[in-house]
Amino acid sequence: MHETLGQVIWIAVKPIIKIYLIIGVGFGLCKMGILTADATRSISDIVLTVLLPSLSFNKIVGNIEDQDIKFVGIICLTSILIFATGLGCAYIIKKTLPVPKAWGGGILAGGMFPNISDLPIAYLQTLDQSGMFTTEEGNKGVANVIIFLAMFLFCVFNLGGFRLIENDFNYKDEESGVRDSERSSIASPLASIPEEGEFQASNNNDMSSSSSSLSGKSHSVVNGEKNGFNSSSETPSELNHDQEKNMVTKLGAGNSSSSFNQNLENSTTEDLGDMPMASGNNNDLQSVQSSIATSVDSHGSAGDYNRELGIPAARRTMSQPVAFTEEDNGSLGRRQTYSQYSLNSELALTPVRSLDKRDFPAEDMNDIVREYSNVDQYGQRRASVVALQNEDPSNDQASHTSSLQRIKSSNLTKILTSDATVSKKDIEESGSSLPKCIQKFPLTPFIVFFLKNCLRPCSMAVIVALTIAFIPWVKALFVTSNNTPHIKQAPDEQPALSFFMDFTSYVGAASVPFGLILLGATLGRLKIQKLYPGFWKSAVLLVFLKQCIMPIFGVLWADRLVKAGWLDREKDEMLLFVMTINWALPTMTTLIYFTASYTPLDCEDPIQMECTAFFLMLQYPLLVISLPFVVTYYLKVYLKK
């Protein structure tokens, strides 16, 4: 049965409508402040560690047979060709058109790695409901896409493709870096709190008149002067590290909430001084609250304001609500919180609840950097608060850390459970625990790093699933097919391990919707800022090559495979279809996360983020036209549907 041209066009367009509706949901949740940068990262990690591995295992075990090993090889070869063609196009653009030198590796990565995951899977899962393909063919097509995805992960992580992005960044040395003591005067929330005696002023007075009373104190606290640091005797990286560790120790950042509260009380009382509040001065407290809220709003977003404070996110996260209330003797108490924010002598503002973040202006790229940045201005890895706490010899609780806590906070765990936490340093440190006789071989760090990345949940799921699928009697424990041997079934006449397939099917079904929602949230934070002169021409041309010219190569490659006898046009039409649409996909959205992870929080000119955002924003509007056109041509002309 042949479909009319109009029917084929509608079949090709319908999946795009569904995909963009889901992307629109993520975009809206981002603009409403519900799907924040923090929430986006948490959900992304859930997708990478649980949902996507479940989907991968279920589709591969259920739809790949032992005789399909030839097709796996063809998929791997096709993946290499897709990556190489995109890299070649990007290299030509880089050499012939204006491209910032600081984004030379980023444009190569953007041309090389497409978004092989949620987009083609969502497209296939809609297409198999249209009657163009059967449900079984659709499931096998999803399994083929997941093998493409495994090759993508293999090239980006195991083989170090992320280094293309990292090489663009040139960090400051100790001479060019900005020391804490050299920073200009910082607007601090403490500067808005008047000292003793100034609460007697009229409630209608401008709070700015009292803002200077604590500016010197808050400035010295931020710079570490209060803790006795001498910037002239220590390197900047050591200074920042010691400051953070000293701060964590002072605040009592441990497992004991009582000790934390006691240290917090002492710290607050010491730094704020005696600030008695008379019963009639509640309006002064409200004025302070208003001043703080106005300061945040004036910066456009919470991320902008936090960066203006010049305090790393690792310090802000330790902030706790500090409340002031009147007791019978009129002394300082702790029950009424300062609106949405916490006041602490050594920590900047932080929202008390995630619900309160919705009152902020919409998040932007600066918030992506705030959440994903893994380096300081010197290119050193930012240490977590827990790591600083455990390094402190005076912290008794560090020695009692459980094995689970050590595993959970290890760098390897963070690498395996997140998508943008690797760097050159991870390669250099790989194999450091091996015997010296093995470490002396030059390739040891690369081999160990390669093997460590095979432990990523999605990679492990694909490896295990393919192993099971290629051994018929093992596969028979999970599913029953025409190619599996008959073995004794469970009491319900199902394979003994069919419950595991039920589990992975149920959990994995959420992977693609969540992935598309996260894609929409990411696009919602991007914005076009200042561009390198002439760069727009380079970006537009590369997008055109990726989404309009490369699909032609895909059709030619599929035709070449058929003529060579490697594939059959009728029996393998789903595999041919999957290969063709993968040539037409936009750039991976992970590019923006990798770029943010290598961008320091205090970066003055984030040209890499600006170029990446502009490049990604160009592609998804064009995808609405380019992908349905490729699908329509392939179905109607090549497959003669």
Side-chain angles (χ1 to χ4, degrees):
M1 177 180 176
H2 293 281
E3 307 287 347
T4 65
L5 178 60
Q7 291 173 323
V8 174
I9 292 175
W10 173 246
I11 290 172
V13 171
K14 186 177 179 181
I16 285 291
I17 297 175
K18 182 185 76 172
I19 290 172
Y20 273 76
L21 284 176
I22 300 175
I23 291 175
V25 170
F27 188 93
L29 292 176
C30 169
K31 292 302 183 181
M32 293 177 62
I34 298 175
L35 195 54
T36 61
D38 303 350
T40 298
R41 183 165 198 170
S42 297
I43 297 174
S44 176
D45 291 345
I46 293 173
V47 172
L48 290 173
T49 56
V50 180
L51 304 185
L52 189 55
S54 297
L55 179 68
S56 302
F57 183 90
N58 183 271
K59 297 301 182 182
I60 290 177
V61 172
N63 300 280
I64 298 296
E65 306 287 348
D66 55 337
Q67 65 265 26
D68 293 335
I69 190 170
K70 177 186 74 172
F71 300 145
V72 175
I74 293 175
I75 290 174
C76 294
L77 177 60
T78 303
S79 299
I80 294 173
L81 289 177
I82 293 175
F83 300 156
T85 304
L87 178 63
C89 292
Y91 184 80
I92 293 173
I93 296 296
K94 176 185 175 182
K95 291 298 183 180
T96 58
L97 292 175
V99 175
K101 185 177 181 180
W103 203 59
I107 193 172
L108 296 180
M112 184 176 183
F113 299 118
N115 189 2
I116 303 181
S117 57
D118 309 313
L119 283 175
I121 293 176
Y123 203 95
L124 289 172
Q125 288 178 338
T126 303
L127 204 62
D128 64 16
Q129 301 173 4
S130 63
M132 189 65 66
F133 297 104
T134 65
T135 302
E136 291 75 15
E137 289 176 329
N139 289 333
K140 192 158 189 173
V142 172
N144 293 332
V145 171
I146 292 171
I147 299 175
F148 273 105
L149 173 62
M151 284 296 298
F152 165 82
L153 297 175
F154 179 83
C155 293
V156 172
F157 295 102
N158 298 60
L159 297 181
F162 62 88
R163 293 283 289 122
L164 290 172
I165 307 168
E166 186 180 15
N167 286 337
D168 286 337
F169 291 85
N170 295 317
Y171 300 105
K172 298 178 181 178
D173 54 22
E174 296 178 3
E175 296 181 357
S176 62
V178 180
R179 299 173 185 266
D180 285 348
S181 59
E182 296 173 353
R183 294 182 185 273
S184 58
S185 182
I186 301 173
S188 171
L190 298 175
S192 300
I193 304 176
E195 287 190 347
E196 181 179 1
E198 292 185 2
F199 272 111
Q200 306 302 326
S202 173
N203 296 336
N204 295 328
N205 287 345
D206 187 3
M207 290 298 296
S208 62
S209 63
S210 61
S211 62
S212 61
S213 61
L214 285 180
S215 60
K217 182 177 293 186
S218 62
H219 182 63
S220 64
V221 167
V222 173
N223 288 339
E225 297 169 3
K226 191 175 187 304
N227 293 326
F229 293 117
N230 185 355
S231 60
S232 63
S233 62
E234 300 185 60
T235 63
S237 58
E238 292 172 348
L239 182 66
N240 293 338
H241 184 77
D242 290 342
Q243 281 180 326
E244 292 183 2
K245 187 163 68 174
N246 186 288
M247 184 194 317
V248 172
T249 304
K250 182 172 181 179
L251 291 181
N255 296 329
S256 173
S257 60
S258 60
S259 63
F260 175 84
N261 291 333
Q262 181 64 33
N263 288 326
L264 184 62
E265 180 175 357
N266 295 338
S267 175
T268 305
T269 304
E270 176 185 358
D271 293 321
L272 293 184
D274 296 326
M275 299 194 323
M277 292 186 180
S279 58
N281 288 332
N282 289 336
N283 290 335
D284 292 314
L285 180 60
Q286 297 174 1
S287 179
V288 174
Q289 299 173 2
S290 176
S291 176
I292 295 173
T294 304
S295 299
V296 175
D297 292 338
S298 66
H299 287 80
S301 72
D304 293 336
Y305 184 72
N306 286 328
R307 273 180 305 282
E308 185 73 18
L309 295 174
I311 298 178
R315 305 183 187 183
R316 295 196 303 271
T317 54
M318 291 302 303
S319 180
Q320 296 291 332
V322 178
F324 300 91
T325 183
E326 300 166 343
E327 296 182 350
D328 294 339
N329 57 4
S331 62
L332 192 63
R334 301 182 181 281
R335 287 182 187 168
Q336 181 180 356
T337 57
Y338 263 112
S339 184
Q340 304 171 355
Y341 306 100
S342 311
L343 291 181
N344 187 281
S345 60
E346 297 189 2
L347 302 179
L349 299 180
T350 185
V352 176
R353 301 178 301 169
S354 60
L355 182 65
D356 295 326
K357 293 183 179 180
R358 302 179 190 179
D359 296 333
F360 288 167
E363 293 185 340
D364 55 19
M365 291 192 301
N366 294 324
D367 296 279
I368 298 179
V369 174
R370 171 187 59 80
E371 174 60 30
Y372 280 86
S373 177
N374 291 325
V375 296
D376 58 18
Q377 61 177 330
Y378 307 104
Q380 301 295 323
R381 182 183 295 158
R382 288 172 54 198
S384 67
V385 174
V386 175
L388 294 172
Q389 175 190 352
N390 291 338
E391 290 177 7
D392 179 33
S394 64
N395 183 12
D396 296 333
Q397 296 184 6
S399 59
H400 302 292
T401 305
S402 65
S403 299
L404 177 61
Q405 180 62 32
R406 287 195 295 270
I407 294 174
K408 187 174 63 174
S409 59
S410 69
N411 190 52
L412 177 60
T413 301
K414 294 177 181 178
I415 291 176
L416 299 181
T417 57
S418 190
D419 56 352
T421 53
V422 289
S423 65
K424 178 183 177 181
K425 190 173 182 180
D426 294 308
I427 301 178
E428 296 172 346
E429 294 177 351
S430 296
S432 58
S433 60
L434 296 176
K436 296 293 184 181
C437 59
I438 299 178
Q439 292 185 35
K440 66 180 183 180
F441 292 103
L443 294 180
T444 297
F446 299 97
I447 295 174
V448 175
F449 181 78
F450 178 91
L451 296 177
K452 283 198 303 186
N453 278 275
C454 290
L455 298 177
R456 290 180 178 273
C458 191
S459 299
M460 284 295 297
V462 172
I463 293 172
V464 173
L466 286 174
T467 303
I468 293 174
F470 291 155
I471 305 176
W473 61 269
V474 177
K475 180 176 179 176
L477 295 173
F478 294 88
V479 294
T480 301
S481 68
N482 296 331
N483 298 308
T484 55
H486 178 73
I487 61 176
K488 187 176 180 179
Q489 304 292 300
D492 60 351
E493 298 302 322
Q494 295 293 322
L497 299 181
S498 61
F499 65 88
F500 196 77
M501 297 296 291
D502 295 337
F503 163 76
T504 54
S505 175
Y506 192 76
V507 175
S511 174
V512 176
F514 270 123
L516 293 177
I517 288 175
L518 295 178
L519 171 59
T522 301
L523 295 176
R525 294 186 183 92
L526 304 183
K527 62 180 180 180
I528 300 176
Q529 297 178 330
K530 61 178 182 179
L531 293 176
Y532 183 83
F535 171 70
W536 68 270
K537 303 175 185 177
S538 307
V540 169
L541 182 56
L542 182 55
V543 169
F544 177 78
L545 291 176
K546 279 185 63 66
Q547 298 185 233
C548 299
I549 303 301
M550 282 184 58
I552 299 176
F553 297 157
V555 174
L556 295 176
W557 170 245
D559 186 64
R560 181 68 260 175
L561 291 174
V562 171
K563 290 180 178 179
W566 289 15
L567 295 176
D568 185 87
R569 190 188 300 268
E570 296 181 359
K571 294 181 180 179
D572 304 320
E573 61 181 10
M574 174 52 74
L575 177 57
L576 292 167
F577 178 77
V578 169
M579 286 192 303
T580 302
I581 64 173
N582 280 339
W583 284 82
L585 295 176
T587 299
M588 63 172 183
T589 50
T590 314
L591 182 65
I592 194 73
Y593 297 131
F594 272 116
T595 306
S597 70
Y598 303 129
T599 302
L601 285 173
D602 50 1
C603 181
E604 299 175 355
D605 185 21
I607 186 172
Q608 295 90 353
M609 288 291 293
E610 294 165 355
C611 292
T612 302
F614 179 70
F615 183 58
L616 288 176
M617 293 176 69
L618 287 177
Q619 299 185 52
Y620 285 90
L622 179 60
L623 186 68
V624 178
I625 301 173
S626 62
L627 187 57
F629 182 86
V630 172
V631 171
T632 300
Y633 173 83
Y634 194 77
L635 293 177
K636 190 64 180 174
V637 178
Y638 190 77
L639 294 183
K640 295 180 171 52
K641 288 288 187 178

